[in-house]
Amino acid sequence: MKTTIYANYGVLAHEKQTAYTVRPHAAATLSEPVTVSIPESVNPCTNEAGEILVTLDGTVHLLSEVLTNAGDKPVIHWFDGKGYRTISVA
């Protein structure tokens, strides 16, 4: 699934990192849209409110809850009960 997320620059406590979010961050100095592909392996879909949902290890999450960065790249990051896992969404 292709979708647009936002690369936010200058966010407090993340000044030297890119903070990725599903909407522009209110405290960002600059927010720019980035088109990414969410892997089909996480069964991306939308709910009635238009929010993107992903299924990770059998549990449904809002993309906004699990979207973060690894270095300067957007990733989905979650705890599977044993450890943290990461999937790229570039």
Side-chain angles (χ1 to χ4, degrees):
M1 166 188 253
K2 288 204 179 274
T3 190
T4 300
I5 62 172
Y6 292 85
N8 300 283
Y9 306 98
V11 176
L12 187 62
H14 297 279
E15 290 89 354
K16 297 184 182 199
Q17 300 174 341
T18 305
Y20 291 97
T21 56
V22 295
R23 290 182 221 21
H25 196 288
T29 303
L30 172 69
S31 295
E32 73 180 343
V34 178
T35 301
V36 296
S37 292
I38 300 171
E40 290 301 319
S41 63
V42 298
N43 302 315
C45 60
T46 57
N47 63 14
E48 292 176 1
E51 300 166 308
I52 297 174
L53 304 171
V54 294
T55 303
L56 306 166
D57 296 320
T59 303
V60 178
H61 299 272
L62 289 168
L63 178 61
S64 60
E65 295 174 337
V66 293
L67 181 66
T68 189
N69 67 302
D72 285 332
K73 300 196 186 281
V75 296
I76 294 173
H77 185 74
W78 77 100
F79 185 75
D80 70 0
K82 298 177 185 171
Y84 285 97
R85 299 187 56 200
T86 304
I87 296 175
S88 175
V89 291

